[in-house]
Amino acid sequence: MSGIGSGKAKGVRIREWRAKVDEQLLNTITLTKVKDFKRAYLARFVDQPVQLRHAQVTMDGYIRNLRALFREEVIKEIAQLGVIVPPMPFHEVSMSVKGLSGFAYSSKIEAQALTRLAIAELSTDRPEEFKIFIFGLLLGLRRGEIDQALWTWINWERSHMSIEAHEFLELKTVASGGDVAIEQELLDVLRIFKERATGPYIVESKNNSRRPKNYRHYRCESSFKNLNQWLRDHGVKARCPLHTLRKECGSLINEKWGLVAASKSLRHASIKITATYYVAERRKTTTGLGALLPKGKEKGAA
């Protein structure tokens, strides 16, 4: 809307870009400008149905985040500091995707086959990527949690991992902390890795943890990139393959233990988040009356 462009564009210096953004006045954001931006953004993909749906979901995400950023309680808190925020138009902008189905996760992963491939191709030669894989698919951890996971999180006797904030890890929400159950077989694998550990972090990296001011830093960035490419090469074509493992984990738990268990394991703030974005319902939802129908060879069958 301001013509500044994306901070991710090639050749853009992030600090200079942020400075230009900070110079913009909020009263320049109008309903007309927001609608024009939305229209222009989606128009780029009008002849590409798949990309258009991705763009619609992305745009809805922008609107939803901006609504939250300028919600009434935030405006009141800022006003107490002497800053008056002009009325924002984001609640007047309609969403592109209607209903929960527009955001629902649709599983395209053959989890057992993919796990076998990871064991064969990653566990020995690329162990750090294998750890990331199992933390994503078997435990449903977020990228930041995997990056900062400590050996002290694991309770070997009670077979669970306690996700906790520490100096270099700020949890996404209060609900993000908690215990995640670990299967005995996975616990045995982790014991082997623990014997070889050279530091406090489960996934090892040459990079040290730090807290940069202008962007999120991942110790294991190169391992994340390598695993994402491996996942794409093996059929996980989503824009965020590692995060797709987390969604698949939630779907598998939901299939076996139900939605409440999936939400608790993924440590969501509400069960609605799990149902809307993170699980694919794969349990059979038929009437069961098909068993009464005549078999193919029975008299009268078509």
Side-chain angles (χ1 to χ4, degrees), residues 17-80:
W17 179 84
R18 284 177 177 270
K20 291 180 180 179
V21 171
D22 290 340
E23 291 174 358
Q24 303 301 307
L25 298 177
L26 289 177
N27 59 14
T28 63
I29 302 175
T30 65
L31 179 59
T32 299
K33 287 185 177 181
V34 174
K35 286 185 174 180
D36 287 345
F37 173 77
K38 176 184 176 181
R39 190 178 300 110
Y41 181 85
L42 298 180
R44 294 183 296 170
F45 309 98
V46 68
D47 295 325
Q48 306 171 62
V50 175
Q51 287 80 359
L52 178 60
R53 175 44 60 96
H54 288 318
Q56 289 173 331
V57 171
T58 298
M59 178 56 63
D60 285 356
Y62 290 156
I63 295 171
R64 194 167 54 251
N65 289 338
L66 287 165
R67 287 177 179 178
L69 180 62
F70 292 102
R71 63 188 184 274
E72 184 178 357
E73 55 265 38
V74 173
I75 301 301
K76 289 181 177 179
E77 287 291 331
I78 295 176
Q80 293 178 8

Side-chain angles (χ1 to χ4, degrees), residues 50-285:
V50 175
Q51 287 80 359
L52 178 60
R53 175 44 60 96
H54 288 318
Q56 289 173 331
V57 171
T58 298
M59 178 56 63
D60 285 356
Y62 290 156
I63 295 171
R64 194 167 54 251
N65 289 338
L66 287 165
R67 287 177 179 178
L69 180 62
F70 292 102
R71 63 188 184 274
E72 184 178 357
E73 55 265 38
V74 173
I75 301 301
K76 289 181 177 179
E77 287 291 331
I78 295 176
Q80 293 178 8
L81 300 176
V83 179
I84 304 302
V85 177
M88 291 287 104
F90 303 112
H91 283 86
E92 301 178 57
V93 182
S94 61
M95 294 290 191
S96 299
V97 182
K98 306 297 182 181
L100 299 182
S101 61
F103 303 98
Y105 171 60
S106 177
S107 174
K108 298 178 177 64
I109 293 178
E110 295 182 2
Q112 291 188 11
L114 190 64
T115 302
R116 292 190 182 99
L117 281 170
I119 293 170
E121 299 181 14
L122 302 177
S123 61
T124 300
D125 298 332
R126 299 159 65 174
E128 307 315 314
E129 293 166 42
F130 181 67
K131 294 175 191 175
I132 296 171
F133 175 87
I134 58 179
F135 283 163
L137 183 58
L138 278 68
L139 299 183
L141 268 60
R142 300 176 175 90
R143 181 188 294 248
E145 295 165 353
I146 296 172
D147 188 74
Q148 292 295 323
L150 301 169
W151 286 112
T152 53
W153 283 6
I154 299 178
N155 188 317
W156 302 96
E157 291 184 0
R158 301 185 65 83
S159 301
H160 69 240
M161 174 182 285
S162 297
I163 311 300
E164 301 172 334
H166 58 72
E167 180 183 2
F168 298 106
L169 176 64
E170 181 178 351
L171 298 180
K172 187 174 182 179
T173 67
V174 175
S176 297
D179 296 342
V180 178
I182 305 177
E183 296 174 86
Q184 185 59 51
E185 294 83 357
L186 174 54
L187 206 63
D188 292 341
V189 170
L190 291 174
R191 287 184 190 277
I192 296 173
F193 283 125
K194 179 66 169 66
E195 293 175 357
R196 308 170 187 168
T198 60
Y201 292 103
I202 300 178
V203 181
E204 300 195 357
S205 171
K206 295 179 180 178
N207 301 318
N208 295 322
S209 293
R210 51 194 176 94
R211 296 179 65 92
K213 296 181 179 179
N214 298 314
Y215 63 95
R216 175 170 288 185
H217 168 73
Y218 293 111
R219 298 170 42 256
C220 308
E221 183 64 37
S222 61
S223 294
F224 288 141
K225 288 182 177 179
N226 291 338
L227 178 62
N228 277 332
Q229 187 57 56
W230 183 89
L231 289 168
R232 292 188 181 99
D233 291 343
H234 290 81
V236 184
K237 301 299 183 181
R239 288 185 295 174
C240 303
L242 177 56
H243 194 62
T244 301
L245 296 186
R246 173 172 163 81
K247 292 184 177 183
E248 183 67 16
C249 174
S251 288
L252 291 169
I253 295 174
N254 174 58
E255 183 179 359
K256 188 171 184 180
W257 303 106
L259 185 59
V260 173
S263 184
K264 182 178 180 181
S265 183
L266 294 177
R267 292 159 288 112
H268 283 147
S270 75
I271 199 169
K272 183 178 179 181
I273 295 174
T274 314
T276 304
Y277 303 103
Y278 282 85
V279 300
E281 183 56 73
R282 289 178 288 196
R283 286 174 290 186
K284 294 181 180 179
T285 53

